[in-house]
Amino acid sequence: MTAEAFVRSVQLLSGENGQRQVGYPWELPAIEALRSGLELHPKVTYLIGENGSGKSTLLEALAVAAGMNAEGGSSNFAFSTRDSHSLLWRSIRLVRGARRPRTDFFLRAESLFTAATYLERLPREGGDPLASYGGDSLHEQSHGESFLAVMLSRFGRDGLYLLDEPEAALSTQNCLTCLRRIHELVLDGSQFIIATHSPIVLAYPQATIYNCDEHGLEQVAYEDADPVRLMQSFLGARERFLDRLLSD
Ligand SMILES: Nc1ncnc2c1ncn2[C@@H]1O[C@H](COP(=O)(O)OP(=O)(O)OP(=O)(O)O)[C@@H](O)[C@H]1O
Ligand SMILES: [Mg+2]
């Protein structure tokens, strides 16, 4: 039986007096599209789209609206190294299910280093804060190893997890490990929202995929997703592809 979603949908609220807000992030088509509401899959929802299409902006707003730290981490993380995250989170409404997540985590490959430093500086009274991350300092592991340690040791049942480009840290083999871990956690009642460019990370079958582009947000099938089609045509006819790409 499918566990009920922690966050069932997300909607962009109108500004004061119903006015449209201008500039970043309001005018990104993917954000505009939230006006009509975006349904989230109870297991896995993917956000795909070109660089700059708004995936991280949306994920960050979801994370903050759900109580997590904008730069990564769980609801308990209280660090901030920059103030560049948008105020979008204040203008979105999360439609929550009846269940509450037991735990949560916003995992961003790009800011894992900062989250690791924060963890190391936490006071040790009341137990080693690293114990739930596999016991070793995340700084003393490679980027991919520390990313996996968080997924394998810190993530647990009934969690709400937001991942931003896990493939930025992981080898191809470990993208498969990541999929396997997503599966275990989904079976244990967890919900994921994942921004990715990787056809492997994107492959979890019980999922909804939304493509962000200049038209907004559109649901697509795995086979029709750009990262999949492009990788397939590249690997299927590499020489022909390269001939065309590199022709004078
Ligand atoms: N703090 C900011 N202020 C102004 N514009 C921003 C800010 N952060 C991002 N943008 C712009 O908003 C757009 C969406 O950025 P975002 O990081 O959400 O894209 P993305 O889909 O996650 O891209 P990528 O695949 O490269 O990670 C980009 O054009 C970016 O330049
Ligand atoms: Mg991004």
Side-chain angles (χ1 to χ4, degrees), residues 49-57 59 108 110 164-165 195-197:
E50 260 315 318
N51 295 130
S53 57
K55 304 178 298 298
S56 297
T57 301
L59 212 52
R108 326 186 70 166
E110 63 182 49
D164 198 354
E165 295 192 32
T196 186
H197 297 287

